[in-house]
C-alpha cells in the first residue's frame, strides 16, 4: 500500500507491512510513483524490515519531479522527520546538500563498486550524500512489427524519425484514427529539460551551460534543434503531448497507439508485461542524432539515489535500509524484474540481467556516456536554470516563439539568474 504526498503532508501515513517490536524503529522510504517503482521498492523495503525487526512505510511522491523537489524543500524547511530514506534525482545533491546525511560513515567503502561518475555526482564537499540506486538515460522505443510492416528502418537521425513516424502514422490511421507517430515528454517540467537537452546536444548545440559555468545556449544549432522538435507537434505527435509526462507517453505507447516513444528504461518491463498489448513487439535503440555541425546521438543522464534525511529520528537504521536497497543483490532483482539499470558495472555482465533486458548490455555506452544536465556547474541555482530552459522550450513547441528568439531570450534570463556567479 502506498501513500500520496498529500496524505504525508497531512500526517496520514499508512503502514507498509514489516514486523515491529517495542524497541523497533518505524521508517518511511520514498519510492517512485509508477507501478514498477511501487512493486520493486516496497517489497524489498518490507523484506529488510522483516529481517531487522522494523516497520517500513512507503511514501509515493508526486509524479512530477519538479513538484517532488518543491515538496521536499518544504519538508526540509520544517525540519520534518516524516521521511527517513529519500529517493533523490541525479541533479539534486547540490540543491539539497544541507539536509542529507553523509553516508561515508555507514558505507564501509561499498561506493567503490558503483560507477565512479555517479559517486562523484553524489559527493558534495567531500560528503557522500546519496548511494547510487539506478542509473538512467533517455532511449528510443519503437514498434518492431510496424517498422517491418511499413518498411521503415530504425531511425539514425531525427529527420529519419520524423519521416518514418509520418509514414507509419498515415498508414495505421486507416484502421486506428487516433494512432500517433511519436510520443515524448513535452509538459513544462523537468522531464522536458531532459528531452530538450537531448535535442540540443544531438544537434551540436551544447549543454545550455558548459562545465565552466559559461552560458552557451544561444547558438544556431540549439535553435535548429528546438525548431525541429516544434515541427513534430501536430504532425507526428499529438498537440496533447504538450501536457505529457513520462506516464502519459507510456500510456499511449503501451496501448498500441504510437510507433515511437522517447522514455526511460523502466518502460521496457511494463511494456513486456503479460497483459501488455505490445508485448514482444518492442524494440529499443539509442535516440537519433541531429544534423549539422557537431551532430551526434545524445541521451540525457538520469537516475536516482537513496539519501537519508538529516532530520530522521532513526538515522542509523535509515542508512542501513538505504545501503540494503542499493546493494548488488537488490539491484539485480530490480534490473531483472523492473528493468532498472544497475549502478554497479559488474552487474552488466550478469547473464540473468542480459536475458531480461538485452538493451542494457547492447546500449551500455548510451548509459555510460549520457549528457549531464548543468546541475554541478549551477549548484543551488539549478532549479531556476532548468525552469527557464523548459519554459523557453515549451514556448517554441507551442509555437509562441521561434528557436532563435527563444534561445536569445533564454540567454538573457540565465545571465539574470547567474548574476555574479553560480
Amino acid at each position: 500500500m502506498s501513500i500520496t504526498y498529500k496524505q504525508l503532508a497531512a500526517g496520514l501515513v499508512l503502514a507498509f507491512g514489516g514486523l515491529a517490536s517495542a524497541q523497533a524503529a518505524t521508517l518511511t522510504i520514498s519510492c517512485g510513483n509508477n507501478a514498477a517503482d511501487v512493486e520493486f521498492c516496497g517489497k524489498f523495503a518490507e523484506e529488510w524490515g522483516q529481517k531487522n525487526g522494523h516497520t517500513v512505510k512507503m511514501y509515493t511522491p508526486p509524479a512530477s519531479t519538479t513538484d517532488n523537489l518543491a515538496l521536499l524543500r518544504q519538508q526540509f524547511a520544517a525540519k520534518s522527520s516524516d521521511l527517513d530514506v529519500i529517493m533523490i534525482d541525479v541533479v539534486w545533491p547540490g540543491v539539497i546538500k544541507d539536509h542529507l546525511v553523509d553516508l561515508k560513515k555507514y558505507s564501509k567503502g561499498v561506493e567503490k563498486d558503483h560507477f565512479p561518475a555517479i559517486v562523484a555526482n553524489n559527493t558534495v564537499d567531500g560528503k557522500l550524500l546519496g548511494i547510487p540506486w539506478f542509473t538512467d538515460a533517455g532511449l528510443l522505443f519503437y514498434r518492431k512489427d510496424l517498422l517491418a510492416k511499413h518498411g521503415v528502418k530504425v531511425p539514425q537521425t531525427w529527420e529519419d524519425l520524423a519521416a518514418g513516424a509520418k509514414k507509419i502514422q498515415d498508414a495505421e490511421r486507416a484502421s486506428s484514427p487516433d494512432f500517433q507517430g511519436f510520443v515524448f515528454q513535452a509538459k513544462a517540467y523537468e522531464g522536458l529539460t531532459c528531452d530538450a537537452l537531448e535535442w540540443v546536444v544531438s544537434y551540436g548545440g551544447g549543454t545550455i551551460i558548459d562545465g565552466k559555468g559559461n552560458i552557451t545556449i544561444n547558438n544556431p544549432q540549439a535553435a535548429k534543434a528546438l525548431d525541429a522538435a516544434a515541427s513534430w507537434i501536430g504532425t507526428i505527435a499529438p498537440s496533447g503531448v504538450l501536457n505529457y509526462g513520462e506516464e502519459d507517453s507510456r500510456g499511449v505507447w503501451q496501448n498500441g497507439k504510437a510507433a515511437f516513444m522517447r522514455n526511460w528504461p523502466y518502460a521496457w518491463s511494463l511494456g513486456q508485461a503479460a497483459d501488455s498489448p505490445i508485448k514482444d513487439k518492442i524494440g529499443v535503440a539509442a535516440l537519433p542524432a541531429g544534423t549539422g555541425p557537431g551532430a551526434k546521438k545524445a541521451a540525457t543522464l538520469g537516475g536516482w539515489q537513496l539519501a537519508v534525511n538529516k532530520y530522521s529520528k532513526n538515522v542509523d537504521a535509515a542508512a542501513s535500509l538505504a545501503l540494503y536497497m542499493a546493494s548488488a543483490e537488490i539491484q539485480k532483482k530490480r534490473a531483472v524484474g523492473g528493468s532498472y539499470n544497475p549502478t554497479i558495472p559488474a552487474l552488466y555482465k550478469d547473464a540473468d540481467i542480459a536475458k531480461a533486458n538485452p538493451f542494457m548490455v547492447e546500449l551500455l555506452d548510451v548509459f555510460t556516456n549520457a549528457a549531464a544536465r548543468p546541475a554541478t556547474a549551477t549548484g543551488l541555482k539549478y532549479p531556476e536554470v532548468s525552469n527557464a530552459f523548459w519554459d523557453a522550450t515549451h514556448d517554441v513547441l507551442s509555437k509562441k516563439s521561434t528557436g532563435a528568439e527563444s534561445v536569445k531570450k533564454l540567454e538573457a534570463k540565465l545571465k539574470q539568474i547567474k548574476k555574479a556567479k553560480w
Side-chain angles (χ1 to χ4, degrees):
M1 186 181 296
S2 65
I3 55 176
T4 66
Y5 68 99
K6 289 180 182 175
Q7 288 171 315
L8 180 79
L12 302 175
V13 182
L14 304 178
F16 187 86
L19 299 178
S21 68
Q23 292 79 31
T26 297
L27 301 173
T28 300
I29 183 171
S30 164
C31 294
N33 45 64
N34 63 60
D37 277 323
V38 173
E39 179 180 356
F40 293 103
C41 174
K43 75 176 181 182
F44 298 128
E46 181 182 17
E47 192 177 273
W48 174 89
Q50 289 171 340
K51 287 178 181 176
N52 293 280
H54 298 305
T55 298
V56 181
K57 302 172 182 179
M58 187 177 64
Y59 158 65
T60 302
S64 162
T65 47
T66 306
D67 294 343
N68 189 354
L69 178 59
L71 187 67
L72 278 177
R73 293 174 100 171
Q74 288 175 23
Q75 295 274 320
F76 292 142
K79 297 186 177 178
S80 169
S81 61
D82 284 345
L83 291 176
D84 299 284
V85 179
I86 305 167
M87 193 172 94
I88 65 169
D89 199 352
V90 70
V91 292
W92 293 356
V95 177
I96 56 176
K97 61 182 181 179
D98 296 331
H99 309 286
L100 305 177
V101 170
D102 182 0
L103 294 176
K104 278 189 179 172
K105 173 184 171 184
Y106 303 95
S107 69
K108 298 185 173 70
V110 74
E111 62 270 21
K112 72 182 185 306
D113 297 334
H114 297 259
F115 283 119
I118 303 176
V119 175
N121 177 83
N122 297 351
T123 304
V124 181
D125 301 330
K127 297 175 182 177
L128 181 64
L129 300 182
I131 191 76
W133 196 25
F134 66 95
T135 189
D136 247 347
L139 295 172
L140 180 68
F141 293 80
Y142 62 91
R143 286 282 298 277
K144 293 189 295 186
D145 56 327
L146 295 182
L147 266 65
K149 176 181 172 183
H150 298 289
V152 173
K153 292 181 179 176
V154 177
Q156 299 303 307
T157 68
W158 289 110
E159 288 181 354
D160 291 345
L161 183 140
K166 187 77 167 66
K167 182 177 181 181
I168 296 171
Q169 174 183 281
D170 289 351
E172 289 297 311
R173 281 189 174 175
S175 57
S176 181
D178 57 347
F179 189 88
Q180 307 297 334
F182 182 41
V183 289
F184 52 98
Q185 298 77 51
K187 184 166 71 171
Y189 79 120
E190 186 68 25
L192 178 54
T193 288
C194 294
D195 286 41
L197 179 63
E198 290 163 349
W199 308 331
V200 171
V201 174
S202 76
Y203 272 86
T207 55
I208 312 167
I209 292 159
D210 69 18
K212 295 178 181 176
N214 301 309
I215 297 164
T216 61
I217 189 63
N218 186 10
N219 67 77
Q221 288 302 109
K224 183 178 178 181
L226 299 184
D227 285 333
S231 74
W232 306 331
I233 311 290
T235 54
I236 58 170
S239 57
V241 81
L242 292 167
N243 291 306
Y244 280 15
E246 284 86 355
E247 284 293 87
D248 306 296
S249 309
R250 187 181 68 81
V252 174
W253 159 258
Q254 196 161 317
N255 282 322
K257 297 295 186 181
F260 296 96
M261 172 181 71
R262 182 271 177 210
N263 216 319
W264 305 99
Y266 85 97
W268 165 263
S269 65
L270 295 172
Q272 285 292 90
D275 61 350
S276 169
I278 57 171
K279 177 176 165 53
D280 297 328
K281 297 176 181 177
I282 305 169
V284 186
L287 289 162
T291 50
K296 61 182 179 180
K297 294 186 176 186
T300 294
L301 177 67
W304 292 78
Q305 344 300 317
L306 291 176
V308 173
N309 180 7
K310 186 169 90 173
Y311 312 109
S312 166
K313 293 173 182 171
N314 301 288
V315 167
D316 291 353
S320 172
L321 173 56
L323 288 162
Y324 174 80
M325 296 292 280
S327 67
E329 175 194 358
I330 301 304
Q331 286 208 15
K332 175 175 175 175
K333 289 179 179 177
R334 284 168 50 81
V336 171
S339 65
Y340 292 96
N341 277 66
T343 60
I344 298 170
L347 288 176
Y348 287 85
K349 296 172 184 170
D350 185 280
D352 297 330
I353 290 175
K355 182 181 178 184
N357 309 285
F359 70 86
M360 282 189 185
V361 178
E362 292 165 10
L363 299 175
L364 180 57
D365 63 323
V366 172
F367 301 108
T368 52
N369 297 302
R373 286 163 276 175
T376 303
T378 57
L380 290 168
K381 293 183 179 178
Y382 174 73
E384 284 182 88
V385 168
S386 184
N387 195 325
F389 180 56
W390 79 57
D391 278 346
T393 300
H394 202 265
D395 281 350
V396 180
L397 297 181
S398 35
K399 314 292 198 294
K400 294 176 183 173
S401 175
T402 65
E405 291 165 350
S406 203
V407 295
K408 184 179 179 182
K409 274 194 234 167
L410 177 56
E411 179 184 46
K413 175 73 172 173
L414 293 177
K415 284 179 177 174
Q416 272 184 333
I417 294 169
K418 181 179 182 180
K419 294 179 182 167
K421 62 178 182 177
W422 295 116

